Amino acid sequence: MSLPARPMASRSLSSRRTARRLAADAGLLVVAVAFLLPLAWVVLSAVDPHAGLRVKAPDGVTLEHFDAILTDEITFTPLLNSFLLCGGATALTVVCAAPAAYPLSRYRSRLNRPFLLTILFATSLPITAIMVPVYALFVRVNLIDTVQGTIFFFAASQLPFAIWLMKNFMDGVPKELEEAAWTDGASSLQSLARIVLPLMGPGVAVVTVFSFVMMWGNFFVPFMLLLSPDLMPASVSINDFFGNRGMVAYGQLAAFSIVYSTPVILLYVLISRRLGAGFALGGAVKG
């Protein structure tokens, strides 16, 4: 007489699982809508001749907002400044992070863990908390309002997390491959450049993309360290679309946002194959 209870219990368990799955899907849908609404506003307002703050279907389709912003002063010069700042700082970050992460990954020491914890703590420091002493220091060493000074600070602020990421990816490269190179007479620097870095291509790609994106969207650092309008990157010049007394050129702001976001999207698309690759190195040491 107690046998029919099992199908009832299984159906009840299945219904609870279905309800939980539906609730999770509904929650994810709400989050997706929350992210999609700003993107929809940007795309629709960029072609709406009467763009406003509301998300709505455009009254018509126009490209006058793009025509208004595609000038040297508004778009091209700030974008060039952004490429110089973020590209130079990203290259400097990757070049410094690789040799800094190598001994942390390959050599065991009692100081490794405290040093890594210090690096992790440095990544949590807010930029706004250190900008006042940094500004005073840059004034004293004559690096204020210079591209190279801003590049150095960008790289220094991004370097702790880049070292942390690089070290974790470097741990996935088998040390046996380096030992074989050392047997053939290669130095540690040569094994890093010719074996470790080529094999951890996805890791280098992740560090590169992450560093570039974080610098590309940074407003506060160049706003504080650069004074000349002709040196301002696009992350700062976008503030020019907010006029006085609450007047905002919404259509031009949306069009500029699309142009401003395009380099980051293209970078991710071009490097996505490297990001999706895995570390299939087990067979290289087991065969």
Side-chain angles (χ1 to χ4, degrees):
M1 298 298 293
S2 60
L3 291 178
R6 291 184 177 180
M8 292 293 294
S10 62
R11 285 196 295 269
S12 177
L13 180 60
S14 176
S15 62
R16 286 198 299 268
R17 290 178 178 176
T18 302
R20 292 174 183 175
R21 185 164 54 249
L22 291 177
D25 293 340
L28 292 175
L29 182 61
V30 171
V31 174
V33 170
F35 277 95
L36 288 176
L37 280 177
L39 297 179
W41 178 86
V42 170
V43 174
L44 295 176
S45 298
V47 295
D48 189 352
H50 306 290
L53 193 57
R54 298 176 55 189
V55 179
K56 63 182 181 67
D59 301 332
V61 177
T62 181
L63 297 179
E64 62 181 7
H65 301 313
F66 290 95
D67 293 335
I69 67 164
L70 292 179
T71 62
D72 291 337
E73 182 180 359
I74 298 178
T75 300
F76 297 128
T77 299
L79 282 179
L80 179 60
N81 294 335
S82 294
F83 278 116
L84 291 176
L85 291 174
C86 301
T90 299
L92 184 60
T93 299
V94 174
V95 169
C96 294
Y102 182 77
L104 296 174
S105 175
R106 288 300 186 255
Y107 302 105
R108 296 293 177 261
S109 172
R110 293 181 179 179
L111 298 178
N112 280 12
R113 181 174 176 80
F115 184 74
L116 287 173
L117 292 177
T118 303
I119 290 177
L120 187 61
F121 172 75
T123 61
S124 64
L125 291 175
I127 294 295
T128 54
I130 61 176
M131 279 310 299
V132 172
V134 167
Y135 183 88
L137 175 64
F138 273 43
V139 170
R140 293 181 65 89
V141 298
N142 294 323
L143 285 178
I144 200 71
D145 198 28
T146 61
V147 174
Q148 60 270 25
T150 308
I151 289 176
F152 290 151
F153 183 76
F154 262 145
S157 61
Q158 195 60 42
L159 192 58
F161 196 68
I163 294 175
W164 181 273
L165 279 179
M166 194 79 75
K167 186 264 180 187
N168 290 334
F169 282 108
M170 203 170 289
D171 289 342
V173 180
K175 191 175 181 180
E176 289 81 356
L177 299 177
E178 288 185 87
E179 292 174 349
W182 294 339
T183 303
D184 294 335
S187 63
S188 297
L189 185 60
Q190 289 174 330
S191 64
L192 171 64
R194 299 181 181 180
I195 296 177
V196 177
L197 289 180
L199 290 178
M200 56 172 291
V204 177
V206 168
V207 174
T208 301
V209 172
F210 184 84
S211 301
F212 186 86
V213 171
M214 293 298 293
M215 298 172 190
W216 186 263
N218 194 302
F219 168 84
F220 193 66
V221 170
F223 179 76
M224 290 292 295
L225 300 182
L226 296 175
L227 306 177
S228 302
D230 56 339
L231 296 179
M232 292 296 178
S235 59
V236 178
S237 65
I238 195 173
N239 191 52
D240 296 337
F241 294 101
F242 295 87
N244 296 325
R245 299 180 181 178
M247 299 297 295
V248 182
Y250 290 108
Q252 296 181 19
L253 175 62
F256 185 85
S257 298
I258 292 177
V259 176
Y260 175 55
S261 304
T262 301
V264 176
I265 297 174
L266 291 178
L267 175 64
Y268 177 78
V269 170
L270 292 176
I271 210 167
S272 59
R273 294 182 180 179
R274 304 285 294 182
L275 290 174
F279 291 102
L281 302 176
V285 296
K286 293 181 181 179

